[in-house]
């Protein structure tokens, strides 16, 4: 079935999205940053995502899965899949919580701590390079955090604003 030309979205709309879409630009920048840090961490055998995950576990007390998933803005299934190779390599262990056996604690092993100690200076140097290319890195960080911050459930109801400050319509 041939689509009539009047049903097609005009090219101008496509170029508008290409030039103005914040989501697209954040995705592009995110991919470029991930590739940059993946290259930095390659000699250590980890990716930028694995570095972030390991860093999220570097705390005085072992966090539960839900805390890490929220921090990294990923669902538990994705987190579980991301943990598997780190467990196999001996950088992370997963153990039931002593008080609530339904919860799983994520523990950074001694090998994981040693890896982070090696990765830290690479991240620090690479991060300085990236920040040097930005006009206002602190403002960018603050703006991105504000966009990523989940709103209270009450704000998600009809007539309230979404996390971007837009009014939600009645459904």
């Amino acid at each position: 079935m041939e689509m009539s030309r009047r049903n097609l979205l005009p090219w101008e709309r496509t170029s508008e999205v290409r030039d103005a879409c914040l989501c697209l630009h954040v995705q592009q920048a995110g991919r470029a940053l991930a590739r940059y840090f993946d290259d930095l961490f390659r000699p250590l055998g980890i990716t930028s995502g694995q570095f972030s995950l390991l860093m999220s576990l570097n705390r005085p007390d072992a966090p539960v899965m839900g805390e890490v998933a929220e921090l990294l803005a990923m669902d538990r299934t994705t987190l579980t899949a991301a943990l598997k190779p780190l467990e196999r390599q001996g950088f992370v262990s997963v153990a039931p919580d002593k008080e609530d056996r339904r919860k799983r604690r994520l523990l950074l092993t001694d090998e994981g701590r040693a890896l982070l100690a090696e990765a830290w200076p690479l991240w620090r140097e690479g991060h300085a390079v990236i920040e040097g290319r930005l006009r206002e890195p602190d403002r960018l960080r603050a703006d991105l955090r504000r966009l990523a911050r989940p709103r209270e459930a009450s704000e998600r109801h009809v007539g309230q604003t979404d996390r971007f400050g837009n009014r939600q319509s009645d459904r």
Side-chain angles (χ1 to χ4, degrees):
M1 182 170 145
E2 188 177 318
M3 194 180 301
S4 94
R5 292 193 59 72
R6 67 186 157 150
N7 290 339
L8 296 177
L9 191 64
W11 166 248
E12 294 79 25
R13 298 299 168 251
T14 301
S15 57
E16 178 183 352
V17 169
R18 178 199 64 212
D19 296 341
C21 181
L22 293 172
C23 185
L24 174 63
H25 291 272
V26 168
Q27 289 170 337
Q28 289 171 331
R31 289 184 192 110
L33 284 171
R35 279 192 303 273
Y36 175 80
F37 282 101
D38 284 348
D39 289 345
L40 282 177
F41 295 133
R42 187 167 288 114
L44 301 179
I46 60 170
T47 66
S48 59
Q50 290 172 325
F51 172 78
S52 296
L53 175 50
L54 290 168
M55 270 301 205
S56 75
L57 305 181
N58 190 37
R59 313 173 182 203
D61 298 315
V64 293
M65 296 238 343
E67 293 169 339
V68 174
E70 184 177 333
L71 174 70
L72 298 176
M74 58 175 52
D75 59 59
R76 289 173 195 238
T77 304
T78 304
L79 176 58
T80 299
L83 284 166
K84 294 291 182 197
L86 296 172
E87 281 185 275
R88 281 192 300 272
Q89 292 172 293
F91 300 133
V92 175
S93 66
V94 180
D97 183 81
K98 290 178 177 146
E99 295 176 17
D100 184 349
R101 308 230 4 113
R102 295 170 296 175
K103 293 182 181 179
R104 299 281 177 247
R105 294 267 172 198
L106 306 178
L107 302 121
L108 196 56
T109 65
D110 290 341
E111 293 84 1
R113 288 184 213 295
L115 178 65
L116 282 180
E118 278 187 79
W120 166 254
L122 298 175
W123 175 86
R124 184 84 170 154
E125 290 174 27
H127 196 264
V129 168
I130 297 298
E131 275 202 353
R133 296 178 62 192
L134 299 172
R135 289 187 195 142
E136 298 180 56
D138 290 334
R139 181 176 178 186
L140 176 60
R141 251 188 302 277
D143 288 345
L144 291 172
R145 280 187 191 123
R146 193 172 63 252
L147 287 175
R149 187 178 324 130
R151 298 285 187 195
E152 296 298 318
S154 63
E155 289 185 49
R156 294 188 189 131
H157 291 101
V158 174
Q160 299 293 321
T161 58
D162 63 17
R163 66 188 202 185
F164 304 108
N166 299 317
R167 303 272 306 159
Q168 293 184 5
S169 61
D170 294 319
R171 294 181 191 208

